[in-house]
């Protein structure tokens, strides 16, 4: 998806793109990363506002459910920098990448506007998967299916050439009038819902979030209802992390390991199992160490599953993988001191050590 802004004088500017292009028509565009937040400030001498954009996905220690929400959160703080009242329009465009795209408009119980994006295809992936793009702005307009002519009107120097599939893209516009110096925050959210997980044609699994949401629209409703709490708790974690006295290189390593477990390289299935879906992460212990302190229940499950697998396949598992499993079990016990859990895994643990 991408966003753009226009004032009532006809001045139009792109805010962000969904591709690798970093060009912008703003004179000043400052990016600040405070994991898991990305913040960008836009300002132009011939534009009537300063825009502060914040993008995040919740990350709350010990809150593994909220930290696994399949949704991106967007906040745009618009401030009128002139001495006159100005009306602004913030455009949000999202592309439905599913084949034979189908876009449907609706409103949540709280009054937020959403466009649900699905497919008319009959194959399982397309039929079950869906996306949802929404805003809770008080004044809005929308277009379910942007025509190519309308889409090209919003494009700038071919920055959005990927959004050329007519009738697949949708538009949600938010409108606000601001007095001189006045600020206002407009919120957007983009949720995705692809519950079924395929891995090398092995038996079908479901993503963990599938037991909490029936579709992306339900996820959007939850996100807007809990937005303030999710933002506050994620901000508390971010501030604690970024303001720590760790050396810069150590802080970067911590952020790298945390961001890795939030990436598509890892998946959590419906039964609670957490696995690395990318081979290059399977033998890197530091990624799992972060998990131990942020989400100990997931880490314990990961450790137990690892031991069970090794105890059944002792002759096939390399020594380093066995050592990692032993260290993970030991760390989990040190953090929680759960003797009952230790007794449950004792036989698997001893077989791993003896092998």
């Amino acid at each position: 998806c991408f966003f753009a802004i226009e004032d009532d004088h006809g001045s139009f500017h792109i805010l962000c793109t969904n591709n690798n292009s970093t060009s912008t028509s703003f004179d000043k565009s400052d990016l600040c990363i405070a994991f898991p937040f990305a913040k960008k400030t836009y300002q132009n001498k011939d534009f009537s506002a300063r825009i502060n954009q914040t993008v995040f996905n919740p990350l709350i220690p010990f809150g593994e459910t909220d930290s696994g929400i399949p949704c991106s959160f967007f906040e745009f703080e618009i401030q009128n920098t002139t001495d006159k009242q100005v009306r602004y329009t913030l455009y949000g465009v999202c592309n439905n990448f599913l084949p034979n795209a189908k876009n449907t408009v609706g409103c949540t119980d709280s009054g937020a506007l959403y466009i649900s994006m699905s497919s008319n295809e009959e194959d399982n992936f397309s039929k079950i998967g869906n996306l949802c793009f929404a805003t809770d702005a008080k004044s809005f307009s929308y277009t379910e299916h942007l025509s190519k002519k309308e889409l090209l009107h919003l494009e700038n120097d071919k920055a959005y050439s990927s959004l050329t599939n007519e009738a697949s893209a949708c538009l949600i516009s938010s409108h606000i009038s601001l007095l001189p110096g006045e600020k206002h925050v407009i919120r957007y959210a983009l949720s995705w819902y692809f519950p079924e997980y395929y891995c090398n044609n092995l038996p079908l699994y479901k993503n963990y979030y599938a037991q909490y949401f029936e579709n992306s629209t339900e996820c959007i409703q939850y996100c807007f209802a809990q937005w303030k709490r999710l933002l506050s708790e994620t901000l508390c974690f971010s501030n604690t992390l970024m303001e720590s006295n760790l050396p810069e290189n150590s802080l970067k390593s911590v952020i790298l390991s945390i961001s890795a477990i939030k990436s598509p390289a890892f998946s959590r299935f419906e039964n609670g199992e957490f696995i690395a879906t990318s081979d290059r992460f399977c033998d890197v212990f530091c990624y799992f160490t972060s998990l131990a302190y942020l989400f100990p229940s997931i880490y314990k499950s990961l450790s137990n599953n690892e031991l069970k697998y090794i105890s059944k396949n002792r002759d096939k598992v390399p020594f380093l993988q066995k050592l990692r499993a032993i260290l993970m079990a030991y760390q989990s016990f040190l953090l929680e001191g759960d003797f009952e859990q230790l007794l449950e895994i004792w036989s698997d643990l001893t077989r791993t050590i003896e092998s």
Side-chain angles (χ1 to χ4, degrees):
C1 65
F2 73 87
F3 298 91
I5 191 168
E6 186 175 18
D7 63 18
D8 55 10
H9 302 299
S11 182
F12 178 88
H13 290 275
I14 298 297
L15 293 180
C16 63
T17 73
N18 68 332
N19 55 27
N20 295 324
S21 173
T22 56
S23 61
T24 176
S25 55
F26 281 92
D27 293 334
K28 186 177 181 181
S29 178
D30 298 324
L31 176 64
C32 175
I33 303 295
F35 184 80
F37 293 90
K39 302 179 181 182
K40 201 165 189 178
T41 300
Y42 301 90
Q43 196 165 6
N44 212 49
K45 59 184 178 182
D46 62 354
F47 190 66
S48 59
R50 178 171 59 248
I51 302 99
N52 294 316
Q53 176 187 351
T54 301
V55 184
F56 74 99
N57 176 263
L59 202 163
I60 303 166
F62 301 97
E64 58 267 15
T65 301
D66 283 336
S67 298
I69 294 175
C71 186
S72 293
F73 295 66
F74 302 86
E75 283 194 349
F76 299 89
E77 182 191 71
I78 304 171
Q79 181 179 17
N80 183 353
T81 56
T82 71
D83 56 0
K84 297 180 181 179
Q85 182 172 344
V86 182
R87 180 175 173 81
Y88 301 96
T89 298
L90 181 65
Y91 301 99
V93 177
C94 190
N95 191 35
N96 184 351
F97 63 83
L98 294 172
N100 197 5
K102 175 185 176 182
N103 298 343
T104 308
V105 176
C107 281
T108 66
D109 296 337
S110 61
L113 172 78
Y114 69 81
I115 297 181
S116 175
M117 292 169 279
S118 56
S119 171
N120 287 317
E121 294 292 322
E122 291 301 320
D123 62 278
N124 286 336
F125 177 81
S126 300
K127 191 165 70 171
I128 296 176
N130 52 81
L131 304 96
C132 190
F133 189 48
T135 182
D136 64 349
K138 301 301 181 184
S139 177
F140 55 77
S141 57
Y142 63 87
T143 301
E144 287 178 80
H145 299 279
L146 279 176
S147 68
K148 192 167 293 187
K149 182 178 179 181
E150 291 172 314
L151 191 56
L152 289 172
H153 174 70
L154 289 172
E155 291 182 341
N156 180 42
D157 296 328
K158 299 182 180 178
Y160 308 105
S161 58
S162 62
L163 296 178
T164 55
N165 184 8
E166 188 169 2
S168 69
C170 61
L171 167 70
I172 297 179
S173 304
S174 303
H175 312 284
I176 185 69
S177 291
L178 298 178
L179 296 172
E182 187 179 3
K183 297 178 182 179
H184 185 77
V185 174
I186 295 177
R187 307 188 302 191
Y188 281 80
L190 173 62
S191 176
W192 55 92
Y193 185 82
F194 296 90
E196 296 185 342
Y197 180 82
Y198 296 86
C199 183
N200 298 325
N201 295 320
L202 292 177
L204 181 68
Y205 289 93
K206 282 193 173 183
N207 278 310
Y208 187 70
Y209 61 71
Q211 62 184 308
Y212 295 102
F213 306 112
E214 292 291 331
N215 50 54
S216 58
T217 304
E218 278 193 12
C219 181
I220 283 288
Q221 294 194 58
Y222 177 81
C223 290
F224 277 116
Q226 300 294 324
W227 192 297
K228 290 183 178 179
R229 179 184 64 82
L230 295 172
L231 174 61
S232 175
E233 293 180 1
T234 303
L235 187 60
C236 180
F237 166 75
S238 178
N239 290 340
T240 302
L241 176 65
M242 303 306 295
E243 294 172 6
S244 68
N245 57 3
L246 287 172
E248 183 178 354
N249 288 338
S250 298
L251 182 60
K252 287 181 179 179
S253 296
V254 171
I255 292 175
L256 176 63
S257 64
I258 299 173
S259 61
I261 63 176
K262 288 277 285 180
S263 75
F266 291 87
S267 292
R268 192 181 186 196
F269 297 134
E270 191 177 28
N271 61 2
E273 291 185 7
F274 186 86
I275 68 163
T277 54
S278 174
D279 292 339
R280 68 192 185 95
F281 288 101
C282 290
D283 296 319
V284 185
F285 183 70
C286 65
Y287 295 104
F288 301 119
T289 302
S290 298
L291 194 66
Y293 292 93
L294 291 173
F295 310 111
S297 61
I298 297 179
Y299 185 78
K300 182 192 294 184
S301 171
L302 180 67
S303 173
N304 294 349
N305 289 334
E306 185 88 344
L307 284 172
K308 289 177 182 178
Y309 173 79
I310 292 175
S311 66
K312 295 177 181 179
N313 303 274
R314 284 179 290 175
D315 298 333
K316 302 178 182 179
V317 176
F319 170 76
L320 286 179
Q321 187 175 348
K322 296 176 182 178
L323 179 60
R324 183 188 68 189
I326 295 168
L327 291 175
M328 288 174 66
Y330 179 60
Q331 184 179 30
S332 181
F333 174 72
L334 288 179
L335 289 172
E336 298 195 12
D338 191 341
F339 281 94
E340 291 184 4
Q341 176 66 25
L342 183 63
L343 289 175
E344 288 181 13
I345 65 171
W346 187 254
S347 59
D348 291 330
L349 184 61
T350 53
R351 277 196 294 267
T352 302
I353 295 173
E354 291 169 355
S355 64

